[in-house]
Amino acid sequence: MTRVRNPRAFLRPLAVGAPTPVADIPFRPSRMIHFFDPSNPKMAAKVPDIAKKVDIILGNLEDAIKTENKEAARQGLVDIGKATDFGDTQLWTRINSLDSPWALDDLITLVTEIGDKLDVVMVPKVEGAQDIHYIDRILAQLEARAGITRPILVHAILETAEGMTNVEEIAAASPRMQGISLGPADLAASRRMKTTRVGGGHPGYLVRQDPTGDDLTEGRTTYQQDLWHYTIARMVDACAGNDILPFYGPFGDIKDVVACEDQFRNAFLLGCVGAWSLHPVQIDIAKKVFSPDPADVAHAKEVVEAMGDGSGAVMINGKMEDDASCKQCIVMLDLAKALAERDPELAAAYDL
């Protein structure tokens, strides 16, 4: 029998002296999680300027960091955290995987040294609630030791078939859960998918138009399909059902900005709030895609104003709008208002 934690205990600290867990995950603009290598001096020097352009900046300690640079990356993030004023930009880190020899030291060092600056710990290759419970308890102990007054949140990456199978229980595992990201490369390997790309589609994954005559070879148009549609949709549902935030992960082909924008937009339309950016060129793509179009915001505003209390139905520009469409419009307006508070250009464009 699976033991469910007493709901009344869910919002009690897991260590004496740790901060009280949050009851609600605050929504903050999160259009892009911009990754940087803290062991790279050139990249580290750019952090203060890049932090002004992004919603989230993340010091990466995991896969992209060579073994011999792991400790330098950890210390580099501590130094950057202490020296940088991030303003309204969130500071995250991706620690090493829980089966590595570095993960525990990552947590101990970062929470005790810069825990007051750190908003979220991203945990790779999460396979079930047990991984989140482990992180949850350790963070509480370290927060108590360091005198941290607000809880550090946790973000999981879906990178294995087992994690995908357990995505709902991962999303509900702790009040620290901030959100979940799709990790397409490792997930593809775990599933034995036959693609070697990091994110994005594959030209071989397609449907073909039915034949129109006896000739089965001519005139049959093909349409490339989205490899990640099911995965993203299920992840979004798990997050929405637990009031946390879903993100698309990396798009590895930095030069293919067209396909990157398409993939980000698919994720946005399905409900994701942001995506990872691996290069400065992807920052502007994410900012564009995950910010609603001003025309859509204007339409949403018109619907909400016409609907009053949201009941009944009205006709606007020849289309019926009812309670359900009003709810959709409120979602759009809430996002637009949050982004407008951070971005003066959007505030002017949205006219809210």
Side-chain angles (χ1 to χ4, degrees):
M1 183 179 82
T2 302
R3 283 282 297 175
V4 177
R5 191 176 176 199
N6 175 359
R8 287 181 293 277
F10 206 59
L11 295 179
R12 297 173 189 163
L14 289 177
V16 175
T20 301
V22 295
D24 297 294
I25 297 300
F27 178 79
R28 300 169 64 183
S30 305
R31 293 164 293 182
M32 74 296 293
I33 307 172
H34 186 70
F35 279 57
F36 74 94
D37 175 358
S39 70
N40 183 323
K42 290 184 179 179
M43 204 174 287
K46 297 177 181 178
V47 166
D49 288 332
I50 292 178
K52 298 173 184 176
K53 304 174 183 177
V54 300
D55 296 332
I56 300 166
I57 192 158
L58 181 146
N60 187 22
L61 306 183
E62 201 222 1
D63 278 356
I65 310 301
K66 293 182 178 180
T67 300
E68 60 267 28
N69 292 339
K70 293 290 188 182
E71 292 186 7
R74 185 191 301 141
Q75 186 57 49
L77 182 55
V78 168
D79 295 341
I80 290 168
K82 289 181 175 180
T84 306
D85 179 2
F86 294 96
D88 293 332
T89 298
Q90 301 172 56
L91 174 63
W92 292 23
T93 185
R94 178 169 71 166
I95 63 170
N96 286 283
S97 61
L98 299 183
D99 61 354
S100 78
W102 304 290
L104 184 57
D105 285 339
D106 290 343
L107 291 171
I108 292 172
T109 300
L110 296 176
V111 177
T112 56
E113 294 284 342
I114 57 169
D116 58 330
K117 291 279 193 77
L118 198 60
D119 291 285
V120 175
V121 170
M122 180 183 280
V123 185
K125 301 176 179 65
V126 174
E127 298 205 311
Q130 70 277 2
D131 293 338
I132 302 301
H133 295 161
Y134 172 78
I135 293 288
D136 200 358
R137 181 76 70 170
I138 289 176
L139 283 175
Q141 294 170 340
L142 293 172
E143 287 165 346
R145 176 193 292 183
I148 305 298
T149 58
R150 50 128 182 96
I152 297 168
L153 302 181
V154 172
H155 185 98
I157 315 178
L158 287 182
E159 298 185 275
T160 69
E162 184 174 354
M164 193 67 230
T165 300
N166 297 325
V167 64
E168 289 84 7
E169 74 169 43
I170 291 169
S174 165
R176 288 186 193 272
M177 283 299 298
Q178 180 273 348
I180 301 177
S181 283
L182 170 67
D186 278 291
L187 182 55
S190 174
R191 286 174 166 172
R192 302 187 184 93
M193 293 169 68
K194 308 307 184 288
T195 174
T196 56
R197 301 178 176 205
V198 177
H202 192 287
Y205 190 70
L206 52 83
V207 293
R208 188 180 302 271
Q209 185 179 23
D210 286 344
T212 56
D214 294 335
D215 190 338
L216 303 183
T217 60
E218 293 296 323
R220 300 182 63 182
T221 305
T222 60
Y223 304 89
Q224 185 172 328
Q225 302 295 288
D226 185 357
L227 283 167
W228 305 107
H229 181 86
Y230 158 79
T231 304
I232 295 173
R234 187 170 171 200
M235 179 186 73
V236 167
D237 282 345
C239 289
N242 289 280
D243 292 327
I244 64 175
L245 305 175
F247 291 74
Y248 186 76
F251 188 90
D253 191 344
I254 304 300
K255 292 183 293 185
D256 192 350
V257 295
V258 174
C260 178
E261 181 172 332
D262 290 341
Q263 195 67 54
F264 283 7
R265 182 168 289 105
N266 287 347
F268 171 67
L269 292 173
L270 280 171
C272 289
V273 300
W276 298 8
S277 56
L278 308 181
H279 185 277
V281 71
Q282 295 182 342
I283 293 173
D284 288 335
I285 297 173
K287 184 175 291 187
K288 173 185 175 182
V289 169
F290 290 98
S291 301
D293 187 281
D296 292 336
V297 175
H299 172 72
K301 184 179 179 182
E302 184 179 10
V303 171
V304 171
E305 289 175 349
M307 288 291 295
D309 64 1
S311 62
V314 297
M315 295 295 294
I316 298 177
N317 299 323
K319 296 180 181 179
M320 187 196 76
E321 306 287 354
D322 61 5
D323 173 66
S325 56
C326 186
K327 290 175 182 175
Q328 291 176 286
C329 291
I330 290 171
V331 169
M332 182 78 71
L333 287 176
D334 286 346
L335 174 58
K337 290 173 183 175
L339 295 178
E341 289 178 2
R342 180 171 175 80
D343 190 326
E345 291 184 8
L346 286 177
Y350 292 157
D351 189 26
L352 296 173

